[in-house]
Each structure stands twice: as C-alpha cells, then as structure tokens.
Amino acid sequence: MLIDSHCHLDRIDLEKFDGSLDNLLAAARDAGVVHMLCVNISLEGYPTVRGIAERYPQVSCSVGVHPGESGGAEPTVEDLVTRGRDPLVAAVGETGLDYHYHPDDNEWQRERFRVHVRAARELGKPLIIHTRDARDDTISILREEGADGPRGVMHCFTETWEMARAALDLGFYISFSGIVTFRNAEALRDVARRVPDDRLLVETDAPYLAPVPHRGKTNHPAWVRDVAARVAEVRGSDLETIAELTTRNYHALFGRG
C-alpha cells in the first residue's frame, strides 16, 4: 500500500484518462496507491478540492493559499480555521515561502505564512510547507510561531541536510517527490538516505515533476510508486518496506481520513 501525500487532483489534465477522474483514481489503485492528499492552493479553489474529497473516500484535502498565489482572496486565520474544522480537511497549506519567483518585497509572503501557522495551531492540524530559496526565514518563522505544536511536512523537499535537520528538530516530516529520481539530484538523494524512518514521506506533487522514467509527462498519483522505489534504492531498502513505513508515517501525521 502506498499513499501520495501531496497531489493536486484538481489541476491534472485528464485527457489520457478519457476525461475521467474515476479512471485516474483507478490507475492509482492498480498501482497500489490507497490514499491521496489533494492539496489546496487558493481559497477560490477550495470548494473544488473539498468536493473531490467528499466524493472519493480515498482522498483527503487541505486548505491554504500557496506562497506564489496572487490575485485571489488573502486568507485570514478565521478563513482557514472555519474551513479547516471540516473533517475532510487533513491539513493547513500549502503554505510557506518562495523567494525564487518572488525575490523582492517578501513581507506579504511572511505575513501570509504566519497566518497559516496560527490557524494550524488553533486547529491542531499539521502544516504543508513549500519552501524555495528561503531556508532561514522558513525555519525562523516556524520557530517563532510555535509550529512544533501542529508540526507538519516539508513537501517536495529540495533543500540541504542542514535544513532537513532543523525541520526534523521541530517535529516535521520530510517528503520526497519525483525530483529524487532525477539524474542530477545526488545531493537530494543523500538527504533521502539520512531522514529517519519515522519521518519519511513520498509524494507526486502531480501534475508536476513526473519521476523518471516518465519525465516530461503529466504526473499523476500512480507514479508515487516510482518515487518510493527510488527512495528504497538509495536507502538500501525495498519498495514494500518503504511503502509500509511511509503509509504509517502519513497516518501518524495526517490521521486516517
């Protein structure tokens, strides 16, 4: 059994599945994927991701506004808490900091991030963290806002072992996407070797970042199997073991859905 701990089912082009989300989920089931977390990136998109989770028992959802999102409603703690009380909502996010695409004038990002951490603390639900080129500020805000309470996951991790260790010290989990299969990702594979068994997760981030051997194609949850297989290889383990421990870790962090 495998769990895709981070995907965007509402954003996947379903053409190869004859336009049917049912077919996509059937392909995931055939690959051994028993559950998926459909991650929200805007308040405007929340009804869609919640609707998917309501329709399919193998899907949970989150509520949050991505650090790169602009033009939509700016979330308040009350907005997130009101939606987050829904039992279909497993987490708050995705949130965090992205200085790669927004290198200047970042105070609005930091304030939005703090809002999410405060909502997660009030809800007692974990955070889903996106961080890019913002290592120090990400960890500092998590510490300042008491994110070791709700904890959470560093999703699609691409940073250094030093940042991973700081996140682990706050009680966070580390999740690896298809990037860990890329040829030039040896430094990331070294991090994947070092993460403790009880803090490891796998994901697709579908429709993005399709793993080898599917690079260049639209990613989907069935391919989390390829991610898990590569993680197993670099850890000197096997797919069955990685599937078992990442499934256990998912339930420990996000609950049973």
Side-chain angles (χ1 to χ4, degrees):
M1 296 193 301
L2 283 158
I3 291 179
D4 185 354
S5 68
H6 191 114
C7 60
H8 302 279
L9 296 174
D10 57 316
R11 302 174 73 84
I12 297 176
D13 183 352
L14 296 173
E15 182 179 0
K16 69 174 290 186
F17 299 98
D18 296 325
S20 169
L21 186 56
D22 287 352
N23 290 345
L24 181 149
L25 296 177
R29 183 184 64 244
D30 291 345
V33 181
V34 297
H35 198 82
M36 289 142 273
L37 179 52
C38 182
V39 176
N40 180 216
I41 65 167
S42 71
L43 293 182
E44 291 75 16
Y46 172 72
T48 300
V49 298
R50 191 205 176 275
I52 293 171
E54 183 175 37
R55 180 178 174 186
Y56 298 101
Q58 69 270 46
V59 179
S60 298
C61 70
S62 70
V63 61
V65 180
H66 190 283
E69 282 292 299
S70 60
E74 190 63 30
T76 65
V77 172
E78 183 179 7
D79 290 333
L80 298 172
V81 168
T82 298
R83 292 165 175 81
R85 288 195 180 105
D86 191 320
L88 293 174
V89 175
V92 175
E94 103 185 58
T95 184
L97 300 172
D98 193 320
Y99 293 173
H100 180 79
Y101 289 109
H102 302 276
D104 303 311
D105 186 25
N106 290 316
E107 186 53 37
W108 65 271
Q109 275 200 55
R110 290 187 285 273
E111 182 56 32
R112 180 186 288 180
F113 187 16
R114 292 180 188 278
V115 164
H116 283 76
V117 179
R118 292 165 189 168
R121 287 183 60 192
E122 185 168 338
L123 288 165
K125 291 187 175 183
L127 288 152
I128 300 170
I129 304 298
H130 170 108
T131 180
R132 190 170 184 190
D133 295 344
R135 300 170 189 169
D136 292 344
D137 283 357
T138 298
I139 294 298
S140 292
I141 289 173
L142 290 173
R143 287 172 175 158
E144 291 166 8
E145 296 292 340
D148 54 337
R151 303 185 301 163
V153 57
M154 293 290 178
H155 112 86
C156 190
F157 193 78
T158 56
E159 302 292 346
T160 63
W161 169 244
E162 288 70 27
M163 185 178 187
R165 185 168 56 190
L168 291 166
D169 287 346
L170 285 167
F172 275 66
Y173 291 63
I174 309 295
S175 180
F176 295 94
S177 70
I179 295 175
V180 79
T181 72
F182 295 179
R183 183 169 55 183
N184 63 348
E186 191 53 48
L188 182 61
R189 285 188 283 275
D190 182 61
V191 177
R193 292 183 187 99
R194 301 171 74 173
V195 172
D197 282 355
D198 63 350
R199 299 291 188 84
L200 181 70
L201 291 170
V202 289
E203 64 174 90
T204 60
D205 202 14
Y208 317 108
L209 303 173
V212 174
H214 312 288
R215 287 201 69 178
K217 299 178 181 178
T218 298
N219 203 1
H220 59 95
W223 290 346
V224 76
R225 186 181 186 92
D226 298 278
V227 178
R230 190 70 170 106
V231 170
E233 181 182 343
V234 302
R235 290 171 71 92
S237 184
D238 56 70
L239 176 60
E240 290 75 15
T241 298
I242 295 300
E244 179 181 354
L245 69 87
T246 55
T247 296
R248 183 170 63 244
N249 292 344
Y250 177 91
H251 290 314
L253 182 61
F254 295 112
R256 292 269 169 187

